[in-house]
């Protein structure tokens, strides 16, 4: 039973509407998940409206008969249709304290708080029978029961604003539009003690935005939960996840929403999934011509594993999607296993992991191999079972793409061994390991020639004599880049090719340091060295490369 069920039962006993014997019988007859209150109503031990009257009286709420009331258009105009049908409420009249509003759920305090914020008026709540609420919705707003419960999908944000002038809807709409215009990858809504902070992550950097009033915090969070269609506005104690799809202009925005309770309210992070990344070619990722040629050869191999490594937010997923996009042809069957599926790709079979029903990474992988794919993408190798299936797939004629969380390319070997993979399997299956980071690109409209300082030269491990023929630039800031000097990001890469000698070293238990030394002898450029090439080409700045490759300093 829920806390509300307990409360209602106590109330029914206190008001003598039921006896303890009737309650015990109802509990005995209740099916799993069924409330004893519903059993009592079904058996006509108590009338639903009598229960509602008792709840209203106990909540000091007047019980009204809507069939005897006429509602003016002036009053109806205060509550937008989407608010009325979403919360199943009806405005009745203007009263001294604000607006009289009818509900059929006198215990739903979240609804009271949210609706009050959405309409921007104080509300005096009264109670009415649910069938009368529904009849009034039909009469005054023209919605039936099916429509009242189905307004989940959020379509055009602009249309939603035109349909309703509710301040919270406008505020959330403007928030999403501003994030879109600024090319933000994340929206952070953070409840602090006396404020509700809003920050956008643009090109990997958090930028603080004007904060809405603290008193609107709960209403904004509730609006976003409603837009997701799958998150409960009543649940504030547990983390929740959802998804929002909105249309801004001609662009379809897909947002992954996460909430978590904090000391001062629920913190919300929305990740904006930029579908333009699906169409990126290898040059747009940041590969220079020689590395691009090497990488194109790798991703067209008939079998083996190609790993992309790096910390969270380093662009690994975007690189994998670009690889699949590059090799996606009618004569190839490609299947992915992801958690979650972030982007829908045409011509590719994408499998969503769902551990709650047993669809784990290993279970999905075992099933997908029976689908006879040519290419497999695994979102991440996290454990021995996943790694084992991936390696077996690569050794039986499949090309496998996946990611690992390691700082550099050679460290991926030790990571696989730590997971439990035998060294001879690592050396046999892995064809190449690519480490990457993201750095901000200089704004093309305001970048100007720049002379590297002595400190920057030391940070890049360069001598001034090595700058001959270079076109080092820096961004000075303009309207196009919001005076940041940067616009967009690109990758810097470290490509570790596994040849016969490296395979022998892996089998013999060579350390990561030895593997890295051998890779350098074979021509592998480190992340910092690839970054230096892009600094000298005037694509990014010395500060960006030094910051992104601190672990590569030695």
């Amino acid at each position: 039973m829920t806390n509300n069920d307990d409360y209602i039962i106590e109330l029914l006993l206190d008001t003598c509407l039921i006896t303890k014997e009737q309650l015990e019988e109802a509990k005995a007859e209740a099916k799993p998940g069924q409330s004893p209150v519903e059993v009592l109503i079904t058996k006509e031990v108590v009338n639903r409206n009598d229960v509602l009257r008792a709840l209203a009286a106990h909540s000091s709420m007047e019980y009204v008969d809507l069939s005897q009331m006429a509602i003016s258009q002036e009053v109806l105009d205060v509550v937008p249709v989407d608010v009325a049908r979403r919360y199943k409420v009806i405005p009745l009249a203007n009263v001294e304290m604000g607006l009289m509003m009818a509900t059929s759920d006198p215990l739903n305090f979240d609804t009271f708080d949210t609706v009050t914020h959405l309409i921007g008026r104080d509300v005096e709540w009264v109670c009415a029978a649910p069938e009368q609420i529904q009849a009034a919705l039909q009469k005054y707003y023209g919605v039936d029961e099916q429509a009242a419960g189905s307004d989940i999908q959020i379509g055009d944000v602009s249309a939603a604003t035109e349909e309703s002038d509710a301040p919270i809807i406008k505020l959330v709409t403007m928030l999403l539009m501003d994030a879109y215009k600024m090319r933000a990858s994340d929206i952070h809504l953070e409840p602090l003690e006396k404020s509700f902070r809003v920050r956008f992550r643009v090109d990997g950097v958090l930028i603080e935005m004007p904060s809405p009033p603290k008193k609107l915090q709960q209403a904004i969070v509730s609006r976003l939960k409603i837009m997701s269609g799958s998150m409960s506005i009543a649940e504030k104690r547990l983390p929740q996840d959802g998804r929002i799809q909105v249309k801004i202009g001609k662009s379809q925005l897909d947002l992954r929403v996460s909430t978590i309770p904090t000391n001062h309210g629920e913190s919300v992070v929305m990740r904006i999934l930029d579908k333009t990344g699906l169409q990126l070619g290898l040059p747009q990722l940041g590969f220079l011509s020689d590395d691009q040629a090497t990488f194109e050869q790798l991703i067209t191999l008939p079998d083996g594993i190609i790993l992309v490594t790096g910390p969270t937010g380093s662009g690994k997923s975007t690189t994998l999607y670009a690889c699949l996009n590059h090799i996606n042809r009618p004569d190839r069957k490609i299947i992915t296993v992801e958690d979650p599926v972030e982007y829908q790709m045409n011509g590719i079979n994408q499998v969503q992991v769902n551990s709650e029903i047993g669809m784990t990474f290993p279970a999905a992988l075992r099933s997908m191999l029976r689908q006879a794919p040519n290419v497999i993408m695994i979102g991440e190798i996290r454990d021995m079972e996943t790694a084992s299936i991936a390696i077996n797939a690569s050794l039986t004629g499949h090309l496998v793409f996946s990611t690992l969380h390691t700082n550099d390319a050679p460290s991926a070997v030790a990571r696989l061994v730590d997971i439990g993979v035998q060294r001879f399997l690592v050396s046999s299956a892995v064809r190449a390991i690519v480490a990457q980071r993201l750095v901000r690109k200089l704004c093309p409209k305001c970048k100007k020639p720049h002379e590297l300082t002595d400190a920057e030269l030391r940070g890049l491990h360069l001598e001034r004599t090595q700058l001959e023929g270079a076109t080092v630039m820096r961004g000075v800031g303009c309207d196009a880049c919001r005076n940041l000097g940067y616009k967009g990001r690109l990758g810097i890469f470290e490509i570790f090719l596994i040849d016969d000698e490296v395979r022998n070293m892996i089998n013999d238990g060579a350390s990561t340091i030895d593997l890295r030394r051998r890779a350098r002898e074979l021509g592998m450029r480190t992340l910092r060295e690839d970054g230096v090439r892009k600094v000298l080409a005037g694509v990014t700045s010395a500060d960006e490369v030094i910051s992104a490759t601190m672990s590569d300093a030695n």
Side-chain angles (χ1 to χ4, degrees), residues 305 361-369 376 378 383-396 398 400:
I305 296 179
F361 266 107
L365 281 169
R366 282 191 292 268
S367 297
M368 71 155 45
L369 289 175
I376 296 169
I378 306 169
D383 51 46
M384 175 56 190
E385 193 173 7
T386 304
S388 177
I389 297 171
I391 286 173
N392 288 335
S394 72
L395 295 175
T396 54
H398 303 85
V400 179

Side-chain angles (χ1 to χ4, degrees), residues 129-310:
E131 61 271 18
Q132 289 196 348
I133 294 279
Q134 188 53 47
L137 284 170
Q138 175 64 43
K139 177 179 179 181
Y140 294 108
Y141 289 103
V143 293
D144 56 20
E145 181 65 33
Q146 184 178 1
S150 64
D151 186 29
I152 297 294
Q153 298 301 320
I154 306 298
D156 191 326
V157 172
S158 303
T161 307
E162 294 166 4
E163 178 182 336
S164 166
D165 60 352
I168 298 301
I169 295 178
K170 282 186 175 180
L171 185 59
V172 171
T173 297
M174 292 306 299
L175 181 75
L176 298 180
M177 291 183 72
D178 288 345
Y180 171 74
K181 290 176 181 176
M182 290 178 63
R183 302 175 297 101
S185 60
D186 303 280
I187 302 171
H188 294 252
L189 306 177
E190 301 161 316
L192 307 179
E193 185 178 3
K194 296 181 179 179
S195 64
F196 189 42
R197 183 166 66 177
V198 176
R199 295 192 289 177
F200 294 167
R201 191 181 297 278
V202 180
D203 294 334
V205 177
L206 282 171
I207 300 173
E208 189 152 355
M209 306 300 293
S211 299
K214 174 72 172 177
K215 66 180 181 180
L216 299 181
Q217 173 180 309
Q218 185 54 52
I220 292 170
V221 174
S222 294
R223 173 62 182 168
L224 291 169
K225 287 182 176 181
I226 290 166
M227 292 175 72
S228 79
S230 61
M231 302 169 75
S232 169
I233 63 171
E235 181 57 76
K236 301 182 179 71
R237 301 164 301 169
L238 297 173
Q240 294 189 69
D241 294 298
R243 203 154 184 159
I244 295 174
Q245 290 186 323
V246 293
K247 190 176 181 183
I248 296 182
K250 296 182 179 179
S251 298
Q252 186 76 26
L253 232 61
D254 198 358
L255 301 99
R256 207 168 75 204
V257 187
S258 170
T259 66
I260 189 169
T262 71
N263 287 343
H264 303 294
E266 289 179 282
S267 173
V268 182
V269 175
M270 291 178 283
R271 183 179 179 189
I272 301 175
L273 304 176
D274 184 6
K275 296 183 179 179
T276 58
L278 297 182
Q279 281 74 49
L280 287 180
L282 299 182
Q284 286 75 42
L285 292 177
F287 284 108
L288 296 179
S289 57
D290 52 350
D291 282 344
Q292 181 181 334
T294 300
F295 200 64
E296 284 181 351
Q297 287 181 335
L298 288 173
I299 65 177
T300 53
L301 290 171
D303 54 31
I305 296 179
I306 296 173
L307 293 173
V308 181
T309 76

Side-chain angles (χ1 to χ4, degrees), residues 339-412:
D339 183 19
V341 173
E342 293 187 346
Y343 305 100
Q344 303 291 337
M345 299 188 72
N346 292 329
I348 292 177
N349 300 279
Q350 294 173 272
V351 178
Q352 169 74 55
V353 169
N354 187 345
S355 299
E356 292 181 3
I357 60 172
M359 180 62 88
T360 60
F361 266 107
L365 281 169
R366 282 191 292 268
S367 297
M368 71 155 45
L369 289 175
R370 293 193 285 270
Q371 298 281 313
N374 301 106
V375 179
I376 296 169
M377 187 192 90
I378 306 169
E380 181 186 347
I381 293 179
R382 306 179 180 184
D383 51 46
M384 175 56 190
E385 193 173 7
T386 304
S388 177
I389 297 171
I391 286 173
N392 288 335
S394 72
L395 295 175
T396 54
H398 303 85
L399 180 61
V400 179
F401 293 96
S402 191
T403 69
L404 274 178
H405 285 280
T406 63
N407 285 330
D408 61 11
S411 297

Side-chain angles (χ1 to χ4, degrees), residues 41 57 113 183 201 220 264 336 344 389 437 457 512 534:
I41 292 172
D113 184 52
R183 302 175 297 101
R201 191 181 297 278
I220 292 170
H264 303 294
T336 73
Q344 303 291 337
I389 297 171
R437 298 289 189 279
L457 286 170
T512 299
K534 286 157 188 174

Side-chain angles (χ1 to χ4, degrees), residues 337 393 482 495 530:
V337 182
R482 298 178 63 88
I495 303 177
D530 190 46

